[in-house]
Amino acid sequence: MKLPAYGLFAAMLAAAGLPIYLHAPAYYAAKFGIGLTALSGVLFFLRLLDVVQDPFFGWLSGRLIRRRTLSVSLAIVALAVSMLGLFAVEPPVAPLLWFAAMLTVLFSAYSFLTISFYARGVSKASGLGAGGHLRLAAWRETGALVGVCAAAVAPTLLAGTGAGYTNFALGFMALCLLAWLVMRPEWSTPDEGASAKLSDFFTILRDPNARRILLIGLANAAPVAVSSSLFLFFVQDVLAAPDWAGPLLVIFFLAAALGAVVWPRLSRSVGTRRALSIAMAVNIAAFAPVAFLGAGDGGIFAVICVISGFAIGADFTLVPAIFARRMEVIAPTGTAGFGLWAFVTKLSLALAAILLLPALEHAGYVAGGDSPAAALSLLAVLYAGLPCVLKLAALALLWAGPIEAD
């Protein structure tokens, strides 16, 4: 199965990543009445945990390279069980404590699997010949976008059964089993080179190109972190169209999946940096007007979702490919590099969690309730304006130095 297996495994990981930031806080706030500030505090604490554990998992994944099939299998079990506990098990302790415990296990397993998966991709792509990183990235990130899309809307589509989140968790467990089966031969294939060393981290951080690409990854992930944290609140209370949330997510991620196919092909013609720059500019131009939308503008927002989703497909494919190419040169095992990569991308989610939700609550925002106009205006500015500023920063970093061609 080879490259399609990478797409399916990426779909499983993606379903356990960004959609959890969409669903889990809203689910626990609605079902158990937990405040946004308390939930954001838990999310921020978990991201602080990643400061330590993601680089550690990068090192550990490299040390376990000869036992990779077993370590990955155990991590998949932990991922599936924690998802079931989060959405399908009545909390046996205080709901906030259960929320924190299940997310700790889920995100730890997710981190280890993501690092191992992307590091395996470095070795795999190096054996695919010219353009190998972009080919693998296209399969991997398209699969990830399909997984995000399916997971984002699954609870809504399953809501008619009366157990939408329970069925979502059970469906995710089935996906874990299938992804494990199709990817298992890849884990048993030996990688070239030695296992990861702690010195790999210092090698990467001393490299100016690697440092700049990590900063690009941080600045580029931050807009997605902001918009994903606030999307449901924006659609529900600014656009006054809560029933549109599911369809809008489908539109956005399907457009992103299409972009994940188109942008790598364009990059082969015009170069990776130029293609990524065009995509960033399109994203900024499309998303900036969102700050001025209001109730009844759901149709306009749907068009913007198509354009911005298509543009963001470049972020999901080209930026990881750029980093993977650099890791192939300076840290061939890839595990240390993607430990750092996982850390910087999650750091953006940490900042979004600890800054945005408390700021909205302080302004008087009440999810689904009667919020003052000033709070809704702040929600619109944070949702649309802040990502554009962050994307401009990523664009500036992109042109601050050389980018290797594939």
Side-chain angles (χ1 to χ4, degrees), residues 101-394:
M102 290 300 98
L103 282 184
T104 298
V105 177
L106 190 149
F107 286 145
S108 296
Y110 171 83
S111 293
F112 181 82
L113 289 169
T114 300
I115 292 164
S116 300
F117 179 58
Y118 274 78
R120 176 66 189 126
V122 173
S123 177
K124 180 72 174 180
S126 65
L128 296 177
H133 286 289
L134 288 176
R135 286 173 56 201
L136 188 142
W139 275 99
R140 183 182 60 209
E141 306 309 328
T142 300
L145 288 166
V146 171
V148 166
C149 181
V153 302
T156 301
L157 295 178
L158 295 170
T161 65
Y165 282 100
T166 297
N167 290 332
F168 167 67
L170 293 172
F172 179 78
M173 293 185 75
L175 177 61
C176 285
L177 177 60
L178 182 59
W180 176 78
L181 287 172
V182 300
M183 192 67 184
R184 194 168 185 272
E186 292 295 317
W187 300 124
S188 60
T189 302
D191 286 327
E192 297 181 0
S195 62
K197 305 179 291 294
L198 288 175
S199 59
D200 289 345
F201 291 106
F202 299 104
T203 299
I204 295 166
L205 293 175
R206 282 196 301 264
D207 182 75
N209 281 353
R211 289 199 306 269
R212 187 166 55 84
I213 298 169
L214 284 169
L215 286 174
I216 292 171
L218 175 61
N220 215 40
V224 178
V226 171
S227 57
S228 64
S229 298
L230 302 180
F231 172 81
L232 293 178
F233 303 126
F234 179 82
V235 173
Q236 174 180 265
D237 293 318
V238 175
L239 298 182
D243 293 339
W244 287 51
L248 286 170
L249 284 170
V250 171
I251 290 171
F252 177 83
F253 286 117
L254 286 179
L258 177 61
V261 175
V262 173
W263 291 109
R265 294 183 179 180
L266 179 64
S267 71
R268 297 188 191 107
S269 301
V270 303
T272 302
R273 177 159 55 181
R274 186 170 296 177
L276 188 54
S277 300
I278 294 170
M280 288 180 174
V282 170
N283 204 352
I284 294 168
F287 210 65
V290 172
F292 304 98
L293 299 183
D297 290 332
I300 298 173
F301 186 63
V303 174
I304 292 173
C305 283
V306 172
I307 300 172
S308 62
F310 179 78
I312 212 169
D315 296 352
F316 292 144
T317 52
L318 300 185
V319 180
I322 291 170
F323 187 68
R325 289 201 301 265
R326 191 60 188 161
M327 291 304 97
E328 187 178 14
V329 174
I330 65 173
T333 62
T335 53
F338 280 101
L340 292 170
W341 185 258
F343 161 66
V344 299
T345 53
K346 288 181 183 177
L347 180 60
S348 63
L349 289 166
L351 295 175
I354 198 62
L355 296 176
L356 301 181
L357 297 183
L360 287 172
E361 192 166 66
H362 180 73
Y365 172 71
V366 179
D370 188 14
S371 302
L376 294 179
S377 296
L378 177 62
L379 173 57
V381 169
L382 290 177
Y383 177 73
L386 184 56
C388 291
V389 173
L390 294 169
K391 185 68 72 174
L392 283 170

Side-chain angles (χ1 to χ4, degrees), residues 2 9 20 38 51 56 73 80 82 86 105 128 236 238 240 255 259 263 295 307 318 336 385 396 398 403:
K2 296 184 179 179
F9 199 88
I20 303 308
V51 172
F56 168 73
S73 299
S82 58
L86 187 65
V105 177
L128 296 177
Q236 174 180 265
V238 175
W263 291 109
I307 300 172
L318 300 185
L398 183 64
I403 293 291

Side-chain angles (χ1 to χ4, degrees), residues 19-30 39 43 86-87 99 103 165:
I20 303 308
Y21 285 89
L22 286 169
H23 297 313
Y27 174 72
Y28 274 77
L39 291 170
L43 292 174
L86 187 65
F87 290 119
F99 175 81
L103 282 184
Y165 282 100

